[in-house]
Amino acid sequence: MAYEWRCCLCGYDIRLDTTVIGLEAAHIMWFQAGGPDVESNGLALCVLHHKIFDLGAFTIAPDKLEVQFSRHMMGSSEIQSRLLAYQGASLL
């Protein structure tokens, strides 16, 4: 509910009736690393953004809550432009 049932990065919000599809809760500070299992330590991300977030492809700058992508992220020019379009963007 915190992100209105959509990815806080790209706005993905597919539903089948009232069932949300492909949206996951992601820990900002991993639970395994001692991060609390609370809403303020979570992000609603689509499955793609959750996976690449967990792999370190991007992070959230804590002072401005802006998206910062790794300079090591690679892919086709289309993928680069689609993902890097969120560089410096604020979360929804």
Side-chain angles (χ1 to χ4, degrees):
M1 291 185 337
Y3 294 100
E4 300 174 354
W5 295 278
R6 56 190 177 143
C7 177
C8 68
L9 185 62
C10 70
Y12 172 96
D13 66 348
I14 295 177
R15 284 176 250 167
L16 180 60
D17 291 324
T18 58
T19 302
V20 177
I21 301 169
L23 196 64
E24 301 175 344
H27 286 91
I28 297 169
M29 183 177 178
W30 291 346
F31 186 70
Q32 297 91 333
D37 200 16
V38 296
E39 186 176 334
S40 61
N41 186 43
L43 299 171
L45 294 172
C46 65
V47 293
L48 172 63
H49 289 130
H50 188 180
K51 182 69 173 181
I52 66 174
F53 178 70
D54 282 353
L55 291 172
F58 74 93
T59 190
I60 308 300
D63 54 336
K64 298 180 184 178
L65 298 180
E66 291 179 347
V67 178
Q68 300 295 315
F69 275 91
S70 167
R71 59 186 172 90
H72 300 288
M73 193 187 69
M74 293 190 265
S76 69
S77 59
E78 181 180 350
I79 294 300
Q80 289 280 330
S81 66
R82 284 186 181 189
L83 288 178
L84 293 179
Y86 298 109
Q87 176 69 18
S90 298
L91 297 177
L92 298 177

